[in-house]
Amino acid sequence: MLGAIGAKATHIVGGEIYYKIKNKTHRLYTVTMHLYVDCENGNIEAILQDSVAIIGLFDAGTRQYKGKEELRRVAPNRINSSYYKCVKPPTGVCVDEYIYQKDIVIEAGSNGMILAFQRCCRNNTISNISSPESTGATYWVKVPPHAVDNNSAVFQNLPPNYVCVNAPLVVDNSAIDPDRDSLVHELYQPYVRSSRH
């Protein structure tokens, strides 16, 4: 869908996309994306070039490309997320959160619409991903068909920036759903976007 800046654009830490109905009659949604970047080891040129995020729109049934929307970001928030008493914050760790938002008319039709963002590349200090410096990420959300009025759930907490060796990993994945839908969590292999495509 999108071209890569380059194999050395090593700055992506994580992200999420969600939506909220703003005007049901006009099918207007407020779409928000949070993008987390490595502000210590990340490629500064790539971070600067991410002032606009291009979100692809795809028919959820046929996967047909329907267009794109450009979302602009605001100044970053510095993230200092830690749940562990054993942590002595290390040097050389820095995560910034950028928030992108736009009101978008979404013609979800009878299949629904997938909103997707793809970007290369991952934080190059990651040790449990092969070649993180050439492995991108995809963040997406599905807007249901027009017959269904729905807002997406929003996570309430971030995972920790760092953890302690030999300490259990505890992540609070609680979320709020404005429609009071039942929420189910599962572990899933992340979607990968290679810099070679």
Side-chain angles (χ1 to χ4, degrees):
M1 178 177 83
L2 306 175
I5 295 297
K8 297 300 178 187
T10 54
H11 64 299
I12 300 297
V13 174
E16 63 183 330
I17 302 175
Y18 54 91
Y19 61 88
K20 182 176 182 181
I21 297 172
K22 185 166 187 179
N23 186 308
K24 176 182 168 183
T25 304
H26 295 100
R27 298 173 177 159
L28 184 65
Y29 294 79
T30 299
V31 176
T32 304
M33 182 175 76
H34 291 235
L35 187 64
Y36 302 95
V37 303
D38 182 342
C39 43
E40 178 71 24
N41 302 295
N43 181 309
I44 189 65
E45 291 178 21
I47 294 170
L48 292 173
Q49 289 174 350
D50 283 347
S51 61
V52 174
I54 298 174
I55 305 292
L57 285 72
F58 301 86
D59 184 287
T62 66
R63 303 296 193 246
Q64 182 181 6
Y65 176 70
K66 293 294 188 177
K68 66 181 180 180
E69 291 287 346
E70 295 184 359
L71 280 65
R72 299 201 172 274
R73 71 183 182 193
V74 296
N77 300 314
R78 184 64 40 91
I79 303 298
N80 293 307
S81 174
S82 175
Y83 309 142
Y84 299 90
K85 293 179 182 177
C86 58
V87 165
K88 294 178 183 172
T91 58
V93 175
C94 174
V95 177
D96 278 345
E97 172 192 47
Y98 287 95
I99 300 174
Y100 300 75
Q101 193 170 74
K102 184 178 182 181
D103 291 342
I104 301 172
V105 173
I106 300 176
E107 298 292 345
S110 59
N111 290 333
M113 188 73 68
I114 291 176
L115 313 180
F117 173 77
Q118 295 181 321
R119 186 67 169 101
C120 186
C121 291
R122 299 274 188 167
N123 173 333
N124 63 359
T125 63
I126 296 173
S127 61
N128 64 349
I129 295 177
S130 298
S131 303
E133 69 281 355
S134 59
T135 302
T138 299
Y139 307 109
W140 66 275
V141 68
K142 179 182 175 183
V143 177
H146 285 319
V148 179
D149 294 332
N150 190 63
N151 298 282
S152 58
V154 179
F155 288 109
Q156 296 302 292
N157 297 293
L158 294 173
N161 283 3
Y162 28 76
V163 296
C164 298
V165 174
N166 299 323
L169 174 61
V170 178
V171 178
D172 181 353
N173 275 335
S174 61
I176 291 180
D177 189 291
D179 306 310
R180 299 181 163 288
D181 293 334
S182 175
L183 302 177
V184 177
H185 299 279
E186 66 178 313
L187 295 176
Y188 199 83
Q189 181 174 344
Y191 289 92
V192 171
R193 193 250 184 237
S194 171
S195 66
R196 293 182 293 275
H197 300 296

